[in-house]
Amino acid sequence: PFQTRRRGREQEETAVDRVYHWVGKSPAFGSECFESLQKYFPNAMPAKVVHNRTRAVLEQEFGFSAETTLLGSSFCPDEINNQGRDLPVVMRDYY
């Protein structure tokens, strides 16, 4: 019987991919970096996107605010997670 093989996420470009690349937050479609990112972390989002989505839910649904929230995290404190634009740093700076 005829079977189609589903392509991996690394072989598909979405409108979101194009926007993230356009604003400088992700590698270009077809690049080795894009392929590795989507192969091992499909649909990964930039730190600011994750922060803004999380913040919106916490503030709108639960009444959190930066003034009354103490951030606690369990991110690995290595050099990969301690760059100025990474999620732990973005969240720490906000809260």
Side-chain angles (χ1 to χ4, degrees):
F2 180 74
Q3 292 181 339
T4 58
R5 182 172 170 245
R6 180 162 163 70
R7 297 187 321 173
R9 174 64 180 90
E10 69 275 10
Q11 297 174 0
E12 300 172 359
E13 182 182 38
T14 66
V16 172
D17 294 328
R18 289 190 293 276
V19 170
Y20 288 165
H21 177 67
W22 180 68
V23 298
K25 299 296 181 185
S26 71
F29 174 73
S31 68
E32 288 183 34
C33 185
F34 179 90
E35 290 177 6
S36 291
L37 178 68
Q38 294 303 333
K39 181 176 181 180
Y40 298 106
F41 305 98
N43 301 312
M45 296 181 289
K48 289 248 182 185
V49 173
V50 174
H51 170 68
N52 286 332
R53 288 181 177 192
T54 304
R55 183 181 54 79
V57 170
L58 292 174
E59 291 176 0
Q60 295 168 14
E61 301 293 324
F62 299 102
F64 282 45
S65 71
E67 296 77 30
T68 61
T69 303
L70 176 63
L71 174 68
S73 74
S74 61
F75 293 104
C76 179
D78 58 19
E79 66 281 355
I80 293 174
N81 288 315
N82 280 311
Q83 297 177 22
R85 63 189 177 275
D86 291 337
L87 185 59
V89 176
V90 170
M91 293 180 80
R92 181 201 65 208
D93 291 348
Y94 182 78
Y95 294 106

